């Protein structure tokens, strides 16, 4: 988001792959979110899919708040924003 050479760039990094698991040991499909006894289970939710969404929604919220003021007191993001998401982190990339 943004490409101004006059602004610093903040890069958010995350990975969306998961550690290998022995599939027969799972009681539910590990790649689907499941509710069991009022608990939610899903592989890779906290490492690292949840934090990826938190980064994206935080930047989205800042942009929306800036836009909701009609630009008053806000001249856009003071930085460029880049996101890097990889799918091979758990394999040692």
């Amino acid at each position: 988001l943004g490409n101004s050479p006059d602004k610093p760039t903040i890069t958010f990094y995350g990975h969306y792959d998961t550690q290998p698991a022995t599939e027969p040991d799972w009681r539910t499909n590990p790649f689907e979110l499941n509710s069991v006894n009022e608990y939610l289970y899903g592989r890779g939710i906290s490492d690292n899919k949840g934090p990826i969404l938190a980064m994206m929604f935080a930047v989205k919220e800042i942009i929306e708040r800036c836009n909701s003021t009609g630009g008053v007191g806000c001249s856009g993001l003071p930085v460029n924003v880049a996101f890097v998401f990889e799918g091979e982190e758990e394999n040692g990339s």
Side-chain angles (χ1 to χ4, degrees), residues 16-59:
Y16 54 85
D17 59 330
T18 60
Q19 285 285 335
T22 307
E23 301 303 327
D25 292 342
W26 284 78
R27 294 187 180 139
T28 60
N29 184 333
F31 295 103
E32 293 177 4
L33 187 62
N34 293 278
S35 175
V36 179
N37 297 324
E38 298 184 27
Y39 290 94
L40 297 176
Y41 294 89
R43 190 153 115 200
I45 296 302
S46 64
D47 179 29
N48 197 31
K49 293 173 189 78
I52 286 174
L53 287 175
M55 292 178 226
M56 293 169 53
F57 278 101
V59 172

Side-chain angles (χ1 to χ4, degrees), residues 49-85:
K49 293 173 189 78
I52 286 174
L53 287 175
M55 292 178 226
M56 293 169 53
F57 278 101
V59 172
K60 177 181 178 279
E61 180 70 21
I62 292 168
I63 291 170
E64 286 180 352
R65 284 187 183 211
C66 185
N67 290 340
S68 71
T69 65
V72 176
C74 183
S75 58
L77 292 176
V79 295
N80 301 310
V81 177
F83 294 97
V84 176
F85 303 131

